[in-house]
Amino acid sequence: MDTREFVEYTAILSIARTLFICVVLAGGSMVFSKDANELVLAPIERMNAKVQRIQKDPLQAMKLGDEEYRIELKKRQKEARRSKTFIERAKIWKRQGGQSEPLETVVLEKTIIKIGSLLALGFGEAGAEIIGSNMKGGDAGQANVMVPGKRVDAIFGFCAVRDFTTATEILQDKVMVFMNAIGEIVHGLVEE
């Protein structure tokens, strides 16, 4: 009995199966690496770039925070202009890939900016130099609080808002927006 044709056919099927498995594994690894790049590596690289910007100039955190706020505000305005029917919301949800909550990397990125903004706001320009020099230091997690100081000339001012309690009662939760607007005007005039 001659089984040569059967053996050849079986060998061809085995080769085809091996090639098919190789293609499926290669495709799967490409899809996995694409997802890993988009969901893990790219956000980490963005966070690293932001930390390096804050390291060079800690006051950059305020600018980064403002940029993020403007981008998010524009997004919200676009969403508000769109129709809010059930079908429209379903389309938007589907377009976003079914994600209703932000990814952890996005939350971490915003947290880094907020922490940097709070540090810059709390310590000001003089403290920004200290923070920057500590971030540039080689010791991870170590803060050198004994950075030598510098003598600076400064003018201190005091500004009081008249009838603040009345403004607080009228504006309620919008009082901080009001105070920030006043602070922005005063700081802008002082910087000039």
PDB file of all heavy atoms in Angstrom, residues 110-142:
ATOM      1  N   LYS A 110      -2.494  64.184  35.612  1.00  0.00           N
ATOM      2  CA  LYS A 110      -3.127  65.380  36.174  1.00  0.00           C
ATOM      3  C   LYS A 110      -2.679  65.605  37.611  1.00  0.00           C
ATOM      4  O   LYS A 110      -2.510  66.742  38.044  1.00  0.00           O
ATOM      5  CB  LYS A 110      -4.646  65.258  36.095  1.00  0.00           C
ATOM      6  CG  LYS A 110      -5.164  65.381  34.679  1.00  0.00           C
ATOM      7  CD  LYS A 110      -6.663  65.303  34.616  1.00  0.00           C
ATOM      8  CE  LYS A 110      -7.130  65.436  33.180  1.00  0.00           C
ATOM      9  NZ  LYS A 110      -8.583  65.439  33.067  1.00  0.00           N
ATOM     10  N   THR A 111      -2.465  64.517  38.352  1.00  0.00           N
ATOM     11  CA  THR A 111      -2.008  64.639  39.736  1.00  0.00           C
ATOM     12  C   THR A 111      -0.612  65.249  39.796  1.00  0.00           C
ATOM     13  O   THR A 111      -0.343  66.098  40.649  1.00  0.00           O
ATOM     14  CB  THR A 111      -2.026  63.260  40.424  1.00  0.00           C
ATOM     15  OG1 THR A 111      -3.340  62.720  40.334  1.00  0.00           O
ATOM     16  CG2 THR A 111      -1.617  63.358  41.870  1.00  0.00           C
ATOM     17  N   ILE A 112       0.264  64.826  38.898  1.00  0.00           N
ATOM     18  CA  ILE A 112       1.622  65.388  38.860  1.00  0.00           C
ATOM     19  C   ILE A 112       1.561  66.890  38.615  1.00  0.00           C
ATOM     20  O   ILE A 112       2.245  67.680  39.272  1.00  0.00           O
ATOM     21  CB  ILE A 112       2.471  64.686  37.781  1.00  0.00           C
ATOM     22  CG1 ILE A 112       2.818  63.268  38.232  1.00  0.00           C
ATOM     23  CG2 ILE A 112       3.736  65.474  37.463  1.00  0.00           C
ATOM     24  CD1 ILE A 112       3.445  62.411  37.154  1.00  0.00           C
ATOM     25  N   ILE A 113       0.720  67.300  37.678  1.00  0.00           N
ATOM     26  CA  ILE A 113       0.589  68.725  37.370  1.00  0.00           C
ATOM     27  C   ILE A 113       0.023  69.483  38.569  1.00  0.00           C
ATOM     28  O   ILE A 113       0.503  70.572  38.910  1.00  0.00           O
ATOM     29  CB  ILE A 113      -0.288  68.930  36.123  1.00  0.00           C
ATOM     30  CG1 ILE A 113       0.438  68.398  34.879  1.00  0.00           C
ATOM     31  CG2 ILE A 113      -0.641  70.392  35.925  1.00  0.00           C
ATOM     32  CD1 ILE A 113      -0.413  68.345  33.646  1.00  0.00           C
ATOM     33  N   LYS A 114      -0.987  68.911  39.232  1.00  0.00           N
ATOM     34  CA  LYS A 114      -1.595  69.593  40.377  1.00  0.00           C
ATOM     35  C   LYS A 114      -0.613  69.718  41.532  1.00  0.00           C
ATOM     36  O   LYS A 114      -0.542  70.767  42.184  1.00  0.00           O
ATOM     37  CB  LYS A 114      -2.857  68.858  40.823  1.00  0.00           C
ATOM     38  CG  LYS A 114      -4.015  69.065  39.872  1.00  0.00           C
ATOM     39  CD  LYS A 114      -5.247  68.330  40.316  1.00  0.00           C
ATOM     40  CE  LYS A 114      -6.366  68.505  39.300  1.00  0.00           C
ATOM     41  NZ  LYS A 114      -7.571  67.764  39.649  1.00  0.00           N
ATOM     42  N   ILE A 115       0.159  68.667  41.785  1.00  0.00           N
ATOM     43  CA  ILE A 115       1.148  68.729  42.870  1.00  0.00           C
ATOM     44  C   ILE A 115       2.207  69.778  42.551  1.00  0.00           C
ATOM     45  O   ILE A 115       2.587  70.575  43.401  1.00  0.00           O
ATOM     46  CB  ILE A 115       1.778  67.345  43.129  1.00  0.00           C
ATOM     47  CG1 ILE A 115       0.751  66.419  43.766  1.00  0.00           C
ATOM     48  CG2 ILE A 115       3.013  67.458  44.020  1.00  0.00           C
ATOM     49  CD1 ILE A 115       1.194  64.983  43.882  1.00  0.00           C
ATOM     50  N   GLY A 116       2.674  69.778  41.293  1.00  0.00           N
ATOM     51  CA  GLY A 116       3.657  70.782  40.880  1.00  0.00           C
ATOM     52  C   GLY A 116       3.099  72.188  40.984  1.00  0.00           C
ATOM     53  O   GLY A 116       3.784  73.115  41.424  1.00  0.00           O
ATOM     54  N   SER A 117       1.831  72.367  40.603  1.00  0.00           N
ATOM     55  CA  SER A 117       1.194  73.688  40.698  1.00  0.00           C
ATOM     56  C   SER A 117       1.081  74.137  42.147  1.00  0.00           C
ATOM     57  O   SER A 117       1.343  75.299  42.467  1.00  0.00           O
ATOM     58  CB  SER A 117      -0.194  73.662  40.070  1.00  0.00           C
ATOM     59  OG  SER A 117      -0.124  73.379  38.704  1.00  0.00           O
ATOM     60  N   LEU A 118       0.693  73.211  43.015  1.00  0.00           N
ATOM     61  CA  LEU A 118       0.586  73.558  44.435  1.00  0.00           C
ATOM     62  C   LEU A 118       1.946  73.917  45.031  1.00  0.00           C
ATOM     63  O   LEU A 118       2.057  74.856  45.822  1.00  0.00           O
ATOM     64  CB  LEU A 118      -0.053  72.406  45.218  1.00  0.00           C
ATOM     65  CG  LEU A 118      -1.543  72.214  45.002  1.00  0.00           C
ATOM     66  CD1 LEU A 118      -2.021  70.939  45.691  1.00  0.00           C
ATOM     67  CD2 LEU A 118      -2.328  73.410  45.514  1.00  0.00           C
ATOM     68  N   LEU A 119       2.986  73.172  44.642  1.00  0.00           N
ATOM     69  CA  LEU A 119       4.339  73.500  45.130  1.00  0.00           C
ATOM     70  C   LEU A 119       4.768  74.880  44.640  1.00  0.00           C
ATOM     71  O   LEU A 119       5.298  75.685  45.407  1.00  0.00           O
ATOM     72  CB  LEU A 119       5.339  72.443  44.674  1.00  0.00           C
ATOM     73  CG  LEU A 119       5.300  71.105  45.407  1.00  0.00           C
ATOM     74  CD1 LEU A 119       6.208  70.100  44.713  1.00  0.00           C
ATOM     75  CD2 LEU A 119       5.714  71.282  46.847  1.00  0.00           C
ATOM     76  N   ALA A 120       4.544  75.145  43.350  1.00  0.00           N
ATOM     77  CA  ALA A 120       4.931  76.437  42.784  1.00  0.00           C
ATOM     78  C   ALA A 120       4.135  77.559  43.430  1.00  0.00           C
ATOM     79  O   ALA A 120       4.683  78.631  43.728  1.00  0.00           O
ATOM     80  CB  ALA A 120       4.729  76.430  41.271  1.00  0.00           C
ATOM     81  N   LEU A 121       2.853  77.327  43.658  1.00  0.00           N
ATOM     82  CA  LEU A 121       2.006  78.345  44.266  1.00  0.00           C
ATOM     83  C   LEU A 121       2.400  78.580  45.723  1.00  0.00           C
ATOM     84  O   LEU A 121       2.476  79.714  46.181  1.00  0.00           O
ATOM     85  CB  LEU A 121       0.539  77.911  44.187  1.00  0.00           C
ATOM     86  CG  LEU A 121      -0.502  78.917  44.625  1.00  0.00           C
ATOM     87  CD1 LEU A 121      -0.490  80.128  43.699  1.00  0.00           C
ATOM     88  CD2 LEU A 121      -1.874  78.274  44.616  1.00  0.00           C
ATOM     89  N   GLY A 122       2.676  77.502  46.432  1.00  0.00           N
ATOM     90  CA  GLY A 122       3.007  77.614  47.849  1.00  0.00           C
ATOM     91  C   GLY A 122       4.364  78.226  48.114  1.00  0.00           C
ATOM     92  O   GLY A 122       4.532  79.010  49.040  1.00  0.00           O
ATOM     93  N   PHE A 123       5.346  77.890  47.298  1.00  0.00           N
ATOM     94  CA  PHE A 123       6.711  78.353  47.549  1.00  0.00           C
ATOM     95  C   PHE A 123       7.101  79.581  46.742  1.00  0.00           C
ATOM     96  O   PHE A 123       8.083  80.233  47.053  1.00  0.00           O
ATOM     97  CB  PHE A 123       7.719  77.226  47.280  1.00  0.00           C
ATOM     98  CG  PHE A 123       7.633  76.114  48.273  1.00  0.00           C
ATOM     99  CD1 PHE A 123       7.261  74.847  47.883  1.00  0.00           C
ATOM    100  CD2 PHE A 123       7.936  76.333  49.602  1.00  0.00           C
ATOM    101  CE1 PHE A 123       7.175  73.816  48.800  1.00  0.00           C
ATOM    102  CE2 PHE A 123       7.863  75.308  50.524  1.00  0.00           C
ATOM    103  CZ  PHE A 123       7.474  74.048  50.124  1.00  0.00           C
ATOM    104  N   GLY A 124       6.365  79.880  45.676  1.00  0.00           N
ATOM    105  CA  GLY A 124       6.671  81.066  44.880  1.00  0.00           C
ATOM    106  C   GLY A 124       7.956  80.914  44.091  1.00  0.00           C
ATOM    107  O   GLY A 124       8.498  79.819  43.940  1.00  0.00           O
ATOM    108  N   GLU A 125       8.460  82.061  43.593  1.00  0.00           N
ATOM    109  CA  GLU A 125       9.662  82.023  42.742  1.00  0.00           C
ATOM    110  C   GLU A 125      10.901  81.608  43.515  1.00  0.00           C
ATOM    111  O   GLU A 125      11.731  80.858  43.007  1.00  0.00           O
ATOM    112  CB  GLU A 125       9.887  83.394  42.094  1.00  0.00           C
ATOM    113  CG  GLU A 125       8.974  83.656  40.930  1.00  0.00           C
ATOM    114  CD  GLU A 125       9.323  84.930  40.199  1.00  0.00           C
ATOM    115  OE1 GLU A 125      10.525  85.172  39.987  1.00  0.00           O
ATOM    116  OE2 GLU A 125       8.394  85.662  39.857  1.00  0.00           O
ATOM    117  N   ALA A 126      11.043  82.107  44.738  1.00  0.00           N
ATOM    118  CA  ALA A 126      12.225  81.760  45.538  1.00  0.00           C
ATOM    119  C   ALA A 126      12.231  80.271  45.858  1.00  0.00           C
ATOM    120  O   ALA A 126      13.254  79.597  45.756  1.00  0.00           O
ATOM    121  CB  ALA A 126      12.264  82.582  46.815  1.00  0.00           C
ATOM    122  N   GLY A 127      11.093  79.752  46.238  1.00  0.00           N
ATOM    123  CA  GLY A 127      10.990  78.333  46.541  1.00  0.00           C
ATOM    124  C   GLY A 127      11.136  77.462  45.316  1.00  0.00           C
ATOM    125  O   GLY A 127      11.575  76.315  45.398  1.00  0.00           O
ATOM    126  N   ALA A 128      10.775  78.026  44.149  1.00  0.00           N
ATOM    127  CA  ALA A 128      10.884  77.262  42.898  1.00  0.00           C
ATOM    128  C   ALA A 128      12.331  76.886  42.616  1.00  0.00           C
ATOM    129  O   ALA A 128      12.615  75.784  42.146  1.00  0.00           O
ATOM    130  CB  ALA A 128      10.304  78.059  41.737  1.00  0.00           C
ATOM    131  N   GLU A 129      13.249  77.791  42.926  1.00  0.00           N
ATOM    132  CA  GLU A 129      14.673  77.481  42.725  1.00  0.00           C
ATOM    133  C   GLU A 129      15.113  76.346  43.646  1.00  0.00           C
ATOM    134  O   GLU A 129      15.868  75.459  43.238  1.00  0.00           O
ATOM    135  CB  GLU A 129      15.520  78.721  42.978  1.00  0.00           C
ATOM    136  CG  GLU A 129      15.331  79.808  41.947  1.00  0.00           C
ATOM    137  CD  GLU A 129      16.150  81.045  42.261  1.00  0.00           C
ATOM    138  OE1 GLU A 129      17.183  80.926  42.947  1.00  0.00           O
ATOM    139  OE2 GLU A 129      15.748  82.127  41.803  1.00  0.00           O
ATOM    140  N   ILE A 130      14.648  76.373  44.880  1.00  0.00           N
ATOM    141  CA  ILE A 130      15.012  75.324  45.840  1.00  0.00           C
ATOM    142  C   ILE A 130      14.437  73.986  45.382  1.00  0.00           C
ATOM    143  O   ILE A 130      15.122  72.961  45.386  1.00  0.00           O
ATOM    144  CB  ILE A 130      14.516  75.680  47.254  1.00  0.00           C
ATOM    145  CG1 ILE A 130      15.236  76.936  47.750  1.00  0.00           C
ATOM    146  CG2 ILE A 130      14.725  74.528  48.217  1.00  0.00           C
ATOM    147  CD1 ILE A 130      14.662  77.521  49.018  1.00  0.00           C
ATOM    148  N   ILE A 131      13.166  73.998  44.974  1.00  0.00           N
ATOM    149  CA  ILE A 131      12.524  72.768  44.502  1.00  0.00           C
ATOM    150  C   ILE A 131      13.259  72.233  43.278  1.00  0.00           C
ATOM    151  O   ILE A 131      13.548  71.041  43.178  1.00  0.00           O
ATOM    152  CB  ILE A 131      11.034  73.008  44.181  1.00  0.00           C
ATOM    153  CG1 ILE A 131      10.273  73.343  45.460  1.00  0.00           C
ATOM    154  CG2 ILE A 131      10.416  71.797  43.513  1.00  0.00           C
ATOM    155  CD1 ILE A 131       8.878  73.886  45.209  1.00  0.00           C
ATOM    156  N   GLY A 132      13.577  73.135  42.338  1.00  0.00           N
ATOM    157  CA  GLY A 132      14.287  72.719  41.124  1.00  0.00           C
ATOM    158  C   GLY A 132      15.649  72.124  41.430  1.00  0.00           C
ATOM    159  O   GLY A 132      16.029  71.098  40.869  1.00  0.00           O
ATOM    160  N   SER A 133      16.391  72.740  42.346  1.00  0.00           N
ATOM    161  CA  SER A 133      17.717  72.213  42.674  1.00  0.00           C
ATOM    162  C   SER A 133      17.611  70.879  43.398  1.00  0.00           C
ATOM    163  O   SER A 133      18.452  70.001  43.214  1.00  0.00           O
ATOM    164  CB  SER A 133      18.511  73.221  43.508  1.00  0.00           C
ATOM    165  OG  SER A 133      17.901  73.401  44.774  1.00  0.00           O
ATOM    166  N   ASN A 134      16.573  70.695  44.216  1.00  0.00           N
ATOM    167  CA  ASN A 134      16.372  69.410  44.880  1.00  0.00           C
ATOM    168  C   ASN A 134      15.979  68.326  43.901  1.00  0.00           C
ATOM    169  O   ASN A 134      16.370  67.168  44.044  1.00  0.00           O
ATOM    170  CB  ASN A 134      15.307  69.527  45.979  1.00  0.00           C
ATOM    171  CG  ASN A 134      15.897  70.008  47.290  1.00  0.00           C
ATOM    172  OD1 ASN A 134      16.935  69.529  47.705  1.00  0.00           O
ATOM    173  ND2 ASN A 134      15.255  70.958  47.913  1.00  0.00           N
ATOM    174  N   MET A 135      15.180  68.681  42.895  1.00  0.00           N
ATOM    175  CA  MET A 135      14.766  67.690  41.895  1.00  0.00           C
ATOM    176  C   MET A 135      15.934  67.294  40.998  1.00  0.00           C
ATOM    177  O   MET A 135      15.981  66.177  40.496  1.00  0.00           O
ATOM    178  CB  MET A 135      13.613  68.225  41.045  1.00  0.00           C
ATOM    179  CG  MET A 135      12.293  68.284  41.806  1.00  0.00           C
ATOM    180  SD  MET A 135      10.958  68.948  40.815  1.00  0.00           S
ATOM    181  CE  MET A 135      10.595  67.572  39.756  1.00  0.00           C
ATOM    182  N   LYS A 136      16.877  68.203  40.800  1.00  0.00           N
ATOM    183  CA  LYS A 136      18.040  67.896  39.964  1.00  0.00           C
ATOM    184  C   LYS A 136      19.066  67.056  40.698  1.00  0.00           C
ATOM    185  O   LYS A 136      19.914  66.430  40.091  1.00  0.00           O
ATOM    186  CB  LYS A 136      18.696  69.198  39.481  1.00  0.00           C
ATOM    187  CG  LYS A 136      17.885  69.914  38.453  1.00  0.00           C
ATOM    188  CD  LYS A 136      18.515  71.240  38.081  1.00  0.00           C
ATOM    189  CE  LYS A 136      17.565  72.021  37.202  1.00  0.00           C
ATOM    190  NZ  LYS A 136      17.947  73.409  37.049  1.00  0.00           N
ATOM    191  N   GLY A 137      18.988  67.049  42.017  1.00  0.00           N
ATOM    192  CA  GLY A 137      19.943  66.276  42.816  1.00  0.00           C
ATOM    193  C   GLY A 137      19.834  64.794  42.527  1.00  0.00           C
ATOM    194  O   GLY A 137      18.815  64.286  42.091  1.00  0.00           O
ATOM    195  N   GLY A 138      20.910  64.071  42.764  1.00  0.00           N
ATOM    196  CA  GLY A 138      20.958  62.647  42.447  1.00  0.00           C
ATOM    197  C   GLY A 138      20.220  61.751  43.421  1.00  0.00           C
ATOM    198  O   GLY A 138      19.846  60.651  43.100  1.00  0.00           O
ATOM    199  N   ASP A 139      20.008  62.213  44.650  1.00  0.00           N
ATOM    200  CA  ASP A 139      19.368  61.367  45.655  1.00  0.00           C
ATOM    201  C   ASP A 139      17.875  61.289  45.390  1.00  0.00           C
ATOM    202  O   ASP A 139      17.161  62.281  45.503  1.00  0.00           O
ATOM    203  CB  ASP A 139      19.614  61.920  47.063  1.00  0.00           C
ATOM    204  CG  ASP A 139      21.094  61.946  47.414  1.00  0.00           C
ATOM    205  OD1 ASP A 139      21.823  61.124  46.843  1.00  0.00           O
ATOM    206  OD2 ASP A 139      21.497  62.787  48.243  1.00  0.00           O
ATOM    207  N   ALA A 140      17.393  60.099  45.063  1.00  0.00           N
ATOM    208  CA  ALA A 140      15.963  59.914  44.811  1.00  0.00           C
ATOM    209  C   ALA A 140      15.205  59.963  46.129  1.00  0.00           C
ATOM    210  O   ALA A 140      15.521  59.251  47.069  1.00  0.00           O
ATOM    211  CB  ALA A 140      15.719  58.585  44.105  1.00  0.00           C
ATOM    212  N   GLY A 141      14.214  60.818  46.199  1.00  0.00           N
ATOM    213  CA  GLY A 141      13.388  60.904  47.390  1.00  0.00           C
ATOM    214  C   GLY A 141      14.017  61.692  48.528  1.00  0.00           C
ATOM    215  O   GLY A 141      13.442  61.811  49.581  1.00  0.00           O
ATOM    216  N   GLN A 142      15.216  62.215  48.355  1.00  0.00           N
ATOM    217  CA  GLN A 142      15.887  62.985  49.388  1.00  0.00           C
ATOM    218  C   GLN A 142      15.773  64.473  49.062  1.00  0.00           C
ATOM    219  O   GLN A 142      16.032  64.883  47.942  1.00  0.00           O
ATOM    220  CB  GLN A 142      17.372  62.610  49.465  1.00  0.00           C
ATOM    221  CG  GLN A 142      17.615  61.168  49.830  1.00  0.00           C
ATOM    222  CD  GLN A 142      17.271  60.895  51.282  1.00  0.00           C
ATOM    223  OE1 GLN A 142      17.409  61.752  52.135  1.00  0.00           O
ATOM    224  NE2 GLN A 142      16.806  59.694  51.552  1.00  0.00           N
TER     225      GLN A 142
END
